[in-house]
PDB file of all heavy atoms in Angstrom:
ATOM      1  N   ILE J 553     -57.580  40.284 -31.228  1.00 86.00           N
ATOM      2  CA  ILE J 553     -56.179  40.007 -31.661  1.00 86.00           C
ATOM      3  C   ILE J 553     -56.029  38.484 -31.969  1.00 86.00           C
ATOM      4  O   ILE J 553     -55.339  38.100 -32.979  1.00 86.00           O
ATOM      5  CB  ILE J 553     -55.161  40.379 -30.589  1.00 86.00           C
ATOM      6  CG1 ILE J 553     -55.126  41.913 -30.470  1.00 86.00           C
ATOM      7  CG2 ILE J 553     -53.742  39.858 -30.888  1.00 86.00           C
ATOM      8  CD1 ILE J 553     -54.330  42.380 -29.153  1.00 86.00           C
ATOM      9  N   SER J 554     -56.552  37.671 -31.125  1.00 85.00           N
ATOM     10  CA  SER J 554     -56.327  36.220 -31.257  1.00 85.00           C
ATOM     11  C   SER J 554     -57.159  35.575 -32.418  1.00 85.00           C
ATOM     12  O   SER J 554     -56.841  34.438 -32.863  1.00 85.00           O
ATOM     13  CB  SER J 554     -56.547  35.500 -30.022  1.00 85.00           C
ATOM     14  OG  SER J 554     -57.918  35.679 -29.527  1.00 85.00           O
ATOM     15  N   SER J 555     -58.228  36.241 -32.881  1.00 83.00           N
ATOM     16  CA  SER J 555     -59.223  35.651 -33.736  1.00 83.00           C
ATOM     17  C   SER J 555     -58.513  35.604 -35.106  1.00 83.00           C
ATOM     18  O   SER J 555     -58.935  34.725 -35.872  1.00 83.00           O
ATOM     19  CB  SER J 555     -60.456  36.539 -33.799  1.00 83.00           C
ATOM     20  OG  SER J 555     -60.128  37.836 -34.268  1.00 83.00           O
ATOM     21  N   ASP J 556     -57.528  36.468 -35.437  1.00 72.00           N
ATOM     22  CA  ASP J 556     -57.050  36.349 -36.832  1.00 72.00           C
ATOM     23  C   ASP J 556     -55.638  35.759 -36.837  1.00 72.00           C
ATOM     24  O   ASP J 556     -54.884  36.128 -37.721  1.00 72.00           O
ATOM     25  CB  ASP J 556     -57.001  37.797 -37.418  1.00 72.00           C
ATOM     26  CG  ASP J 556     -56.139  38.778 -36.595  1.00 72.00           C
ATOM     27  OD1 ASP J 556     -55.677  38.383 -35.598  1.00 72.00           O
ATOM     28  OD2 ASP J 556     -55.956  39.918 -37.226  1.00 72.00           O
ATOM     29  N   TYR J 557     -55.347  34.934 -35.865  1.00 79.00           N
ATOM     30  CA  TYR J 557     -53.890  34.342 -35.827  1.00 79.00           C
ATOM     31  C   TYR J 557     -54.068  32.943 -35.283  1.00 79.00           C
ATOM     32  O   TYR J 557     -54.384  32.814 -34.092  1.00 79.00           O
ATOM     33  CB  TYR J 557     -52.992  35.157 -34.986  1.00 79.00           C
ATOM     34  CG  TYR J 557     -51.651  34.905 -35.201  1.00 79.00           C
ATOM     35  CD1 TYR J 557     -50.984  35.074 -36.397  1.00 79.00           C
ATOM     36  CD2 TYR J 557     -50.742  34.683 -33.987  1.00 79.00           C
ATOM     37  CE1 TYR J 557     -49.658  34.855 -36.635  1.00 79.00           C
ATOM     38  CE2 TYR J 557     -49.424  34.363 -34.271  1.00 79.00           C
ATOM     39  CZ  TYR J 557     -48.904  34.526 -35.493  1.00 79.00           C
ATOM     40  OH  TYR J 557     -47.564  34.224 -35.657  1.00 79.00           O
ATOM     41  N   ASP J 558     -53.718  32.025 -36.190  1.00 79.00           N
ATOM     42  CA  ASP J 558     -53.890  30.560 -35.757  1.00 79.00           C
ATOM     43  C   ASP J 558     -53.194  30.105 -34.551  1.00 79.00           C
ATOM     44  O   ASP J 558     -53.584  29.343 -33.734  1.00 79.00           O
ATOM     45  CB  ASP J 558     -53.518  29.698 -36.932  1.00 79.00           C
ATOM     46  CG  ASP J 558     -54.505  29.879 -38.073  1.00 79.00           C
ATOM     47  OD1 ASP J 558     -55.591  30.269 -37.879  1.00 79.00           O
ATOM     48  OD2 ASP J 558     -54.167  29.436 -39.309  1.00 79.00           O
ATOM     49  N   LYS J 559     -51.915  30.631 -34.364  1.00 81.00           N
ATOM     50  CA  LYS J 559     -51.084  30.239 -33.296  1.00 81.00           C
ATOM     51  C   LYS J 559     -51.582  30.671 -31.915  1.00 81.00           C
ATOM     52  O   LYS J 559     -51.118  30.178 -30.925  1.00 81.00           O
ATOM     53  CB  LYS J 559     -49.640  30.787 -33.411  1.00 81.00           C
ATOM     54  CG  LYS J 559     -48.881  30.073 -34.546  1.00 81.00           C
ATOM     55  CD  LYS J 559     -47.492  30.398 -34.679  1.00 81.00           C
ATOM     56  CE  LYS J 559     -46.757  29.691 -35.802  1.00 81.00           C
ATOM     57  NZ  LYS J 559     -45.151  29.984 -35.781  1.00 81.00           N
ATOM     58  N   PHE J 560     -52.564  31.552 -31.922  1.00 83.00           N
ATOM     59  CA  PHE J 560     -53.078  32.057 -30.692  1.00 83.00           C
ATOM     60  C   PHE J 560     -54.498  31.515 -30.364  1.00 83.00           C
ATOM     61  O   PHE J 560     -55.022  31.800 -29.412  1.00 83.00           O
ATOM     62  CB  PHE J 560     -53.227  33.691 -30.696  1.00 83.00           C
ATOM     63  CG  PHE J 560     -51.884  34.409 -30.587  1.00 83.00           C
ATOM     64  CD1 PHE J 560     -51.732  35.681 -30.866  1.00 83.00           C
ATOM     65  CD2 PHE J 560     -50.792  33.716 -30.028  1.00 83.00           C
ATOM     66  CE1 PHE J 560     -50.589  36.400 -30.731  1.00 83.00           C
ATOM     67  CE2 PHE J 560     -49.507  34.377 -30.044  1.00 83.00           C
ATOM     68  CZ  PHE J 560     -49.484  35.655 -30.235  1.00 83.00           C
ATOM     69  N   ASN J 561     -54.934  30.667 -31.329  1.00 79.00           N
ATOM     70  CA  ASN J 561     -56.225  30.082 -31.067  1.00 79.00           C
ATOM     71  C   ASN J 561     -56.172  29.187 -29.716  1.00 79.00           C
ATOM     72  O   ASN J 561     -55.293  28.431 -29.429  1.00 79.00           O
ATOM     73  CB  ASN J 561     -56.653  29.196 -32.194  1.00 79.00           C
ATOM     74  CG  ASN J 561     -57.030  29.855 -33.400  1.00 79.00           C
ATOM     75  OD1 ASN J 561     -57.414  31.124 -33.254  1.00 79.00           O
ATOM     76  ND2 ASN J 561     -57.142  29.283 -34.606  1.00 79.00           N
ATOM     77  N   ASN J 562     -57.235  29.435 -28.970  1.00 83.00           N
ATOM     78  CA  ASN J 562     -57.497  28.661 -27.712  1.00 83.00           C
ATOM     79  C   ASN J 562     -56.493  28.904 -26.644  1.00 83.00           C
ATOM     80  O   ASN J 562     -56.285  28.255 -25.679  1.00 83.00           O
ATOM     81  CB  ASN J 562     -57.488  27.173 -27.935  1.00 83.00           C
ATOM     82  CG  ASN J 562     -58.553  26.764 -28.985  1.00 83.00           C
ATOM     83  OD1 ASN J 562     -59.565  27.241 -28.846  1.00 83.00           O
ATOM     84  ND2 ASN J 562     -58.167  25.788 -29.908  1.00 83.00           N
ATOM     85  N   LEU J 563     -55.639  30.088 -26.837  1.00 87.00           N
ATOM     86  CA  LEU J 563     -54.604  30.513 -25.805  1.00 87.00           C
ATOM     87  C   LEU J 563     -55.196  31.703 -25.177  1.00 87.00           C
ATOM     88  O   LEU J 563     -55.742  32.574 -25.817  1.00 87.00           O
ATOM     89  CB  LEU J 563     -53.366  30.774 -26.465  1.00 87.00           C
ATOM     90  CG  LEU J 563     -52.554  29.675 -27.065  1.00 87.00           C
ATOM     91  CD1 LEU J 563     -51.178  30.137 -27.585  1.00 87.00           C
ATOM     92  CD2 LEU J 563     -52.234  28.514 -25.951  1.00 87.00           C
ATOM     93  N   SER J 564     -54.946  31.769 -23.884  1.00 90.00           N
ATOM     94  CA  SER J 564     -55.228  33.034 -23.105  1.00 90.00           C
ATOM     95  C   SER J 564     -54.157  34.105 -23.384  1.00 90.00           C
ATOM     96  O   SER J 564     -53.134  33.624 -23.905  1.00 90.00           O
ATOM     97  CB  SER J 564     -55.425  32.793 -21.565  1.00 90.00           C
ATOM     98  OG  SER J 564     -54.150  32.417 -21.082  1.00 90.00           O
ATOM     99  N   PHE J 565     -54.413  35.341 -22.974  1.00 90.00           N
ATOM    100  CA  PHE J 565     -53.431  36.350 -23.202  1.00 90.00           C
ATOM    101  C   PHE J 565     -52.165  36.034 -22.441  1.00 90.00           C
ATOM    102  O   PHE J 565     -50.977  36.087 -23.068  1.00 90.00           O
ATOM    103  CB  PHE J 565     -53.825  37.678 -22.794  1.00 90.00           C
ATOM    104  CG  PHE J 565     -52.714  38.758 -22.692  1.00 90.00           C
ATOM    105  CD1 PHE J 565     -52.200  39.311 -24.018  1.00 90.00           C
ATOM    106  CD2 PHE J 565     -52.268  39.173 -21.539  1.00 90.00           C
ATOM    107  CE1 PHE J 565     -51.154  40.162 -23.872  1.00 90.00           C
ATOM    108  CE2 PHE J 565     -51.186  40.167 -21.516  1.00 90.00           C
ATOM    109  CZ  PHE J 565     -50.620  40.496 -22.682  1.00 90.00           C
ATOM    110  N   GLU J 566     -52.210  35.507 -21.266  1.00 91.00           N
ATOM    111  CA  GLU J 566     -50.945  35.149 -20.442  1.00 91.00           C
ATOM    112  C   GLU J 566     -50.244  34.041 -21.021  1.00 91.00           C
ATOM    113  O   GLU J 566     -49.055  33.955 -21.083  1.00 91.00           O
ATOM    114  CB  GLU J 566     -51.454  34.730 -19.118  1.00 91.00           C
ATOM    115  CG  GLU J 566     -51.990  35.897 -18.171  1.00 91.00           C
ATOM    116  CD  GLU J 566     -51.047  37.043 -17.998  1.00 91.00           C
ATOM    117  OE1 GLU J 566     -49.758  36.801 -18.102  1.00 91.00           O
ATOM    118  OE2 GLU J 566     -51.515  38.122 -17.872  1.00 91.00           O
ATOM    119  N   GLU J 567     -50.998  33.011 -21.637  1.00 89.00           N
ATOM    120  CA  GLU J 567     -50.351  31.900 -22.272  1.00 89.00           C
ATOM    121  C   GLU J 567     -49.637  32.425 -23.595  1.00 89.00           C
ATOM    122  O   GLU J 567     -48.562  31.932 -23.975  1.00 89.00           O
ATOM    123  CB  GLU J 567     -51.419  30.752 -22.661  1.00 89.00           C
ATOM    124  CG  GLU J 567     -51.935  30.015 -21.462  1.00 89.00           C
ATOM    125  CD  GLU J 567     -53.070  29.116 -21.751  1.00 89.00           C
ATOM    126  OE1 GLU J 567     -53.814  29.450 -22.691  1.00 89.00           O
ATOM    127  OE2 GLU J 567     -53.224  28.138 -21.024  1.00 89.00           O
ATOM    128  N   ALA J 568     -50.272  33.322 -24.266  1.00 89.00           N
ATOM    129  CA  ALA J 568     -49.713  33.837 -25.567  1.00 89.00           C
ATOM    130  C   ALA J 568     -48.412  34.560 -25.155  1.00 89.00           C
ATOM    131  O   ALA J 568     -47.435  34.547 -25.892  1.00 89.00           O
ATOM    132  CB  ALA J 568     -50.702  34.712 -26.259  1.00 89.00           C
ATOM    133  N   LYS J 569     -48.491  35.434 -24.047  1.00 90.00           N
ATOM    134  CA  LYS J 569     -47.331  36.178 -23.705  1.00 90.00           C
ATOM    135  C   LYS J 569     -46.270  35.218 -23.356  1.00 90.00           C
ATOM    136  O   LYS J 569     -45.039  35.490 -23.743  1.00 90.00           O
ATOM    137  CB  LYS J 569     -47.866  36.983 -22.485  1.00 90.00           C
ATOM    138  CG  LYS J 569     -46.659  37.791 -21.871  1.00 90.00           C
ATOM    139  CD  LYS J 569     -47.157  38.598 -20.573  1.00 90.00           C
ATOM    140  CE  LYS J 569     -46.046  39.293 -19.890  1.00 90.00           C
ATOM    141  NZ  LYS J 569     -46.463  39.922 -18.718  1.00 90.00           N
ATOM    142  N   ASP J 570     -46.445  34.140 -22.639  1.00 90.00           N
ATOM    143  CA  ASP J 570     -45.385  33.155 -22.376  1.00 90.00           C
ATOM    144  C   ASP J 570     -44.834  32.567 -23.594  1.00 90.00           C
ATOM    145  O   ASP J 570     -43.606  32.399 -23.748  1.00 90.00           O
ATOM    146  CB  ASP J 570     -45.929  32.145 -21.420  1.00 90.00           C
ATOM    147  CG  ASP J 570     -46.191  32.532 -20.090  1.00 90.00           C
ATOM    148  OD1 ASP J 570     -45.761  33.639 -19.633  1.00 90.00           O
ATOM    149  OD2 ASP J 570     -47.014  31.854 -19.351  1.00 90.00           O
ATOM    150  N   LEU J 571     -45.618  32.380 -24.601  1.00 89.00           N
ATOM    151  CA  LEU J 571     -45.179  31.760 -25.826  1.00 89.00           C
ATOM    152  C   LEU J 571     -44.294  32.774 -26.663  1.00 89.00           C
ATOM    153  O   LEU J 571     -43.340  32.356 -27.128  1.00 89.00           O
ATOM    154  CB  LEU J 571     -46.414  31.369 -26.711  1.00 89.00           C
ATOM    155  CG  LEU J 571     -46.138  30.745 -28.079  1.00 89.00           C
ATOM    156  CD1 LEU J 571     -45.390  29.461 -27.950  1.00 89.00           C
ATOM    157  CD2 LEU J 571     -47.431  30.631 -28.894  1.00 89.00           C
ATOM    158  N   ILE J 572     -44.752  34.089 -26.579  1.00 88.00           N
ATOM    159  CA  ILE J 572     -43.925  35.056 -27.348  1.00 88.00           C
ATOM    160  C   ILE J 572     -42.482  35.181 -26.626  1.00 88.00           C
ATOM    161  O   ILE J 572     -41.502  35.207 -27.341  1.00 88.00           O
ATOM    162  CB  ILE J 572     -44.694  36.410 -27.154  1.00 88.00           C
ATOM    163  CG1 ILE J 572     -45.873  36.372 -28.071  1.00 88.00           C
ATOM    164  CG2 ILE J 572     -43.709  37.481 -27.673  1.00 88.00           C
ATOM    165  CD1 ILE J 572     -46.772  37.592 -27.960  1.00 88.00           C
ATOM    166  N   GLN J 573     -42.611  35.136 -25.296  1.00 88.00           N
ATOM    167  CA  GLN J 573     -41.211  35.350 -24.590  1.00 88.00           C
ATOM    168  C   GLN J 573     -40.363  33.998 -24.790  1.00 88.00           C
ATOM    169  O   GLN J 573     -39.158  34.145 -24.825  1.00 88.00           O
ATOM    170  CB  GLN J 573     -41.444  35.545 -23.169  1.00 88.00           C
ATOM    171  CG  GLN J 573     -42.207  36.795 -22.754  1.00 88.00           C
ATOM    172  CD  GLN J 573     -42.456  37.113 -21.322  1.00 88.00           C
ATOM    173  OE1 GLN J 573     -42.595  36.106 -20.641  1.00 88.00           O
ATOM    174  NE2 GLN J 573     -42.639  38.325 -20.938  1.00 88.00           N
ATOM    175  N   MET J 574     -40.935  32.882 -24.929  1.00 86.00           N
ATOM    176  CA  MET J 574     -40.310  31.702 -25.111  1.00 86.00           C
ATOM    177  C   MET J 574     -39.640  31.507 -26.441  1.00 86.00           C
ATOM    178  O   MET J 574     -38.594  31.061 -26.740  1.00 86.00           O
ATOM    179  CB  MET J 574     -41.075  30.472 -24.648  1.00 86.00           C
ATOM    180  CG  MET J 574     -40.425  29.098 -24.855  1.00 86.00           C
ATOM    181  SD  MET J 574     -41.509  27.685 -24.514  1.00 86.00           S
ATOM    182  CE  MET J 574     -42.598  27.854 -25.982  1.00 86.00           C
ATOM    183  N   MET J 575     -40.507  31.779 -27.449  1.00 85.00           N
ATOM    184  CA  MET J 575     -40.247  31.557 -28.829  1.00 85.00           C
ATOM    185  C   MET J 575     -39.134  32.492 -29.393  1.00 85.00           C
ATOM    186  O   MET J 575     -38.384  32.128 -30.214  1.00 85.00           O
ATOM    187  CB  MET J 575     -41.475  31.615 -29.689  1.00 85.00           C
ATOM    188  CG  MET J 575     -42.444  30.482 -29.507  1.00 85.00           C
ATOM    189  SD  MET J 575     -41.704  28.944 -30.240  1.00 85.00           S
ATOM    190  CE  MET J 575     -41.901  29.370 -31.970  1.00 85.00           C
ATOM    191  N   ASN J 576     -39.105  33.834 -28.880  1.00 85.00           N
ATOM    192  CA  ASN J 576     -38.182  34.775 -29.416  1.00 85.00           C
ATOM    193  C   ASN J 576     -36.854  34.611 -28.635  1.00 85.00           C
ATOM    194  O   ASN J 576     -36.730  34.997 -27.505  1.00 85.00           O
ATOM    195  CB  ASN J 576     -38.684  36.173 -29.176  1.00 85.00           C
ATOM    196  CG  ASN J 576     -39.837  36.572 -30.200  1.00 85.00           C
ATOM    197  OD1 ASN J 576     -39.561  36.914 -31.262  1.00 85.00           O
ATOM    198  ND2 ASN J 576     -41.104  36.318 -29.751  1.00 85.00           N
ATOM    199  N   LEU J 577     -35.840  34.231 -29.403  1.00 85.00           N
ATOM    200  CA  LEU J 577     -34.466  34.123 -28.897  1.00 85.00           C
ATOM    201  C   LEU J 577     -33.642  35.348 -29.177  1.00 85.00           C
ATOM    202  O   LEU J 577     -34.041  36.022 -30.133  1.00 85.00           O
ATOM    203  CB  LEU J 577     -33.796  32.841 -29.389  1.00 85.00           C
ATOM    204  CG  LEU J 577     -34.627  31.476 -29.135  1.00 85.00           C
ATOM    205  CD1 LEU J 577     -33.834  30.302 -29.752  1.00 85.00           C
ATOM    206  CD2 LEU J 577     -34.748  31.224 -27.587  1.00 85.00           C
TER     207      LEU J 577
END
Side-chain angles (χ1 to χ4, degrees):
I553 295 171
S554 60
S555 64
D556 63 350
Y557 197 54
D558 292 340
K559 290 190 177 182
F560 287 162
N561 283 344
N562 302 318
L563 293 180
S564 66
F565 170 72
E566 293 299 336
E567 289 171 334
K569 176 181 173 182
D570 291 340
L571 179 64
I572 293 171
Q573 292 176 336
M574 178 186 69
M575 289 290 289
N576 284 276
L577 301 178

